[in-house]
Amino acid sequence: MAGSELTNVKAPRVKAARRLTKRAFREQDRKFLAEGPQAVREALKLDGVVVELFTTAEAELRHGDLITEATLKGLPVHRASGEVMAELSQTVTPQGLVAVCGLVHTPLEEAVTERARLVAVLAHVRDPGNAGTVMRTADAAGADSVVFTDASVDPYNGKCVRASAGSLFHLPVVIGSPVGQAVQRLKDSGLRVLAADGSGKHTLDDVELSGPTAWVFGNEAWGLPEEVLALADDVVRVPIYGQAESLNLATAAAVCLYASARAQRAG
Amino acid sequence: MAGSELTNVKAPRVKAARRLTKRAFREQDRKFLAEGPQAVREALKLDGVVVELFTTAEAELRHGDLITEATLKGLPVHRASGEVMAELSQTVTPQGLVAVCGLVHTPLEEAVTERARLVAVLAHVRDPGNAGTVMRTADAAGADSVVFTDASVDPYNGKCVRASAGSLFHLPVVIGSPVGQAVQRLKDSGLRVLAADGSGKHTLDDVELSGPTAWVFGNEAWGLPEEVLALADDVVRVPIYGQAESLNLATAAAVCLYASARAQRAG
């Protein structure tokens, strides 16, 4: 444990971490916050990602393994008061563990290559919870990478990191890629680019999914813009058999990604 | 419009509606709140469900069709100030429309019959957002009904109603059913009962899904208890191909329900 318990919410170390809750400062400092035992555990598995760790005395007892691991890696571990933790936490019930991490994203050219079989692209996705859930689902479905276009939410947003349940640290994530550039790279790498949209002529049941595929998912409320639909090789909708108007974005993404994962493995 | 604009948050009519944000009062008054144009639109499609409607002047202009519809049905429509609407709303950015509705759930015996082909059961699901999303997905996947067991969240919870995006009004929903009773009824009606759980020996890719099927989904954090797993005909897990530890509950439900919908239609 580095020094005594931090109790002053205005201490420079606390303020330096606290400002990472804002996107502009994350970009400037090239760091972000990962909160809770699950995210911290996954972050610690990667070398050189965690910069420092804040813990409450209570969390230190409950997650002794993580504290030990961080200490053995020579990382600064700061014990913080409940008040300081509340300042760093972005959840209603803080779990007492926050890691300051270096950015983990990958350049498009490394994340998308000819070896890729399944890629999820988030174009204009604004809800951080949805975006994080799609990362988690893409990871579960065995996707090779996730691409956030420049009009999408920041994957380092606290809510997005949390919803990803550690998956942000599991697979290559690209950020800020112009959608045209991302689609071109995917096509050049031999992937078929499918836009998931309610306007699609084909349904998920009609398309052949055994080949390398990239799925492009759009905004929660208004789907994908015309220009993105035009870039795709095909526009595909998840069939609606009942009276629901549409599916939640993260739900639709799960159905599409798992349909691909299944078709690719059945072949 | 019944009377002048409601500006007093302590007015009896406002207090009577406001108390429906609490489960105990919903049960006592046999009413609940449906917020936002989508929920109100779907509620109005059912005869005798909407009891009264609160609207801001702004929402009245934006959703004139709904106000007209309610008025034509002879329903009391109350214009409310922003302050009163904030009192009735359970969202950060109120959309200016709240309907007081009568309860819409269906007895188990009516919702689950021998005609049912696909049913979703929520056992121990506590997160209202997840529960609402599962209702929406079950509706989209063409399920015959959704059963909330007695240990699950209240489907009339504001967040659940919102996440269901109108689906609460689309398909028969059962509430408060003891899980053993629900499973027995499903079996008696000829459905195969599959528990979706990470502990399953079989994966979704290994099971035959073309017959009538009920899926049982469990708690977000700890899955399904032993006694529920024991009741099911089989325990099935969604395969994890990557490094993710698990899937979000609503995501896993989407993958299972759509796998069933697809298999039932492919046959």
Side-chain angles (χ1 to χ4, degrees):
Chain A
M1 204 63 41
S4 55
E5 181 172 281
L6 284 164
T7 55
N8 182 1
V9 296
K10 297 217 156 91
R13 176 167 289 152
V14 177
K15 284 175 78 178
R18 169 71 192 170
R19 71 185 226 148
L20 299 176
T21 57
K22 294 205 164 42
R23 183 172 191 161
F25 290 121
R26 288 196 292 270
E27 287 173 358
Q28 195 175 316
D29 299 350
R30 318 244 347 122
K31 288 179 201 154
F32 71 106
L33 300 178
E35 185 177 347
Q38 188 176 32
V40 170
R41 179 171 293 114
E42 300 310 300
L44 282 170
K45 286 182 187 163
L46 300 182
D47 276 336
V49 165
V50 176
V51 175
E52 58 182 344
L53 189 61
F54 292 86
T55 174
T56 57
E58 202 192 352
E60 205 182 313
L61 287 174
R62 198 178 313 140
H63 306 292
D65 56 329
L66 297 177
I67 307 298
T68 305
E69 197 179 333
T71 309
L72 288 174
K73 282 182 175 249
L75 297 170
V77 178
H78 312 294
R79 189 187 290 164
S81 67
E83 201 189 348
V84 165
M85 188 52 70
E87 192 72 9
L88 297 180
S89 169
Q90 295 172 272
T91 54
V92 182
T93 43
Q95 294 178 282
L97 271 182
V98 171
V100 174
C101 300
L103 306 185
V104 293
H105 60 272
T106 307
L108 180 64
E109 292 66 29
E110 283 178 34
V112 177
T113 68
E114 287 174 5
R115 286 190 303 278
R117 302 262 300 151
L118 184 59
V119 175
V121 181
L122 283 78
H124 302 269
V125 173
R126 295 292 169 81
D127 180 82
N130 268 337
T133 302
V134 175
M135 272 200 274
R136 180 176 176 185
T137 308
D139 179 14
D144 297 282
S145 55
V146 176
V147 178
F148 283 71
T149 71
D150 53 4
S152 272
V153 68
D154 181 14
Y156 297 119
N157 170 300
K159 203 173 167 187
C160 189
V161 174
R162 224 159 37 246
S164 92
S167 292
L168 172 61
F169 302 107
H170 290 162
L171 79 176
V173 173
V174 178
I175 72 168
S177 189
V179 65
Q181 200 175 310
V183 169
Q184 196 53 56
R185 175 73 191 177
L186 288 158
K187 288 182 174 175
D188 290 348
S189 303
L191 289 98
R192 186 157 165 237
V193 177
L194 300 181
D197 195 272
S199 69
K201 272 191 200 155
H202 297 110
T203 80
L204 198 57
D205 298 342
D206 309 330
V207 288
E208 167 53 42
L209 292 172
S210 59
T213 303
W215 281 101
V216 185
F217 304 111
N219 184 270
E220 293 74 8
W222 36 266
L224 283 164
E226 266 316 317
E227 63 268 28
V228 177
L229 295 176
L231 289 172
D233 291 311
D234 209 341
V235 182
V236 178
R237 66 187 155 84
V238 177
I240 303 282
Y241 301 116
Q243 293 180 66
E245 207 178 287
S246 65
L247 284 167
N248 164 291
L249 172 74
T251 305
V255 174
C256 293
L257 291 168
Y258 263 91
S260 280
R262 177 180 251 194
Q264 291 183 352
R265 278 163 183 82
Chain B
M1 204 64 41
S4 55
E5 182 173 279
L6 284 164
T7 55
N8 182 2
V9 297
K10 297 219 157 90
R13 177 166 286 151
V14 177
K15 284 174 79 179
R18 168 71 192 170
R19 71 184 227 149
L20 300 175
T21 57
K22 293 206 164 43
R23 184 173 191 161
F25 290 121
R26 288 195 292 271
E27 287 174 0
Q28 195 174 317
D29 300 350
R30 319 249 340 128
K31 290 181 201 152
F32 71 105
L33 300 177
E35 185 177 349
Q38 188 176 32
V40 170
R41 179 171 294 114
E42 301 309 300
L44 282 170
K45 285 183 188 163
L46 301 182
D47 277 336
V49 165
V50 177
V51 175
E52 58 181 344
L53 188 61
F54 292 87
T55 174
T56 58
E58 203 191 352
E60 205 183 314
L61 288 174
R62 199 178 313 140
H63 307 291
D65 56 328
L66 298 177
I67 306 298
T68 305
E69 197 178 334
T71 309
L72 287 175
K73 282 182 175 249
L75 297 171
V77 178
H78 312 293
R79 190 187 288 163
S81 67
E83 201 189 348
V84 165
M85 189 52 72
E87 192 72 10
L88 297 180
S89 169
Q90 294 173 271
T91 54
V92 182
T93 43
Q95 294 177 283
L97 273 183
V98 171
V100 174
C101 299
L103 306 186
V104 293
H105 60 271
T106 307
L108 180 65
E109 291 65 30
E110 283 177 34
V112 177
T113 68
E114 286 174 5
R115 287 188 303 277
R117 303 261 300 150
L118 184 59
V119 174
V121 181
L122 283 78
H124 302 270
V125 172
R126 296 291 169 84
D127 180 83
N130 268 337
T133 303
V134 174
M135 271 199 275
R136 179 177 177 184
T137 307
D139 178 14
D144 298 282
S145 56
V146 176
V147 178
F148 283 71
T149 71
D150 53 3
S152 271
V153 69
D154 180 13
Y156 298 119
N157 170 300
K159 204 173 166 188
C160 189
V161 175
R162 222 154 44 244
S164 91
S167 292
L168 172 61
F169 302 107
H170 291 162
L171 78 177
V173 173
V174 178
I175 73 168
S177 189
V179 66
Q181 199 176 309
V183 168
Q184 195 53 56
R185 176 73 191 177
L186 289 158
K187 288 182 175 176
D188 290 349
S189 303
L191 290 98
R192 188 160 163 233
V193 178
L194 301 180
D197 194 273
S199 69
K201 271 192 201 156
H202 297 110
T203 81
L204 199 56
D205 300 342
D206 308 330
V207 288
E208 168 53 42
L209 293 172
S210 58
T213 303
W215 282 101
V216 184
F217 305 110
N219 184 270
E220 293 74 8
W222 38 265
L224 284 164
E226 267 314 318
E227 63 269 28
V228 177
L229 296 176
L231 289 173
D233 291 312
D234 208 342
V235 182
V236 178
R237 65 187 155 83
V238 177
I240 304 282
Y241 300 116
Q243 293 178 66
E245 207 178 287
S246 65
L247 285 166
N248 164 290
L249 171 74
T251 306
V255 174
C256 294
L257 291 168
Y258 262 91
S260 279
R262 176 179 253 194
Q264 292 184 350
R265 278 161 183 84

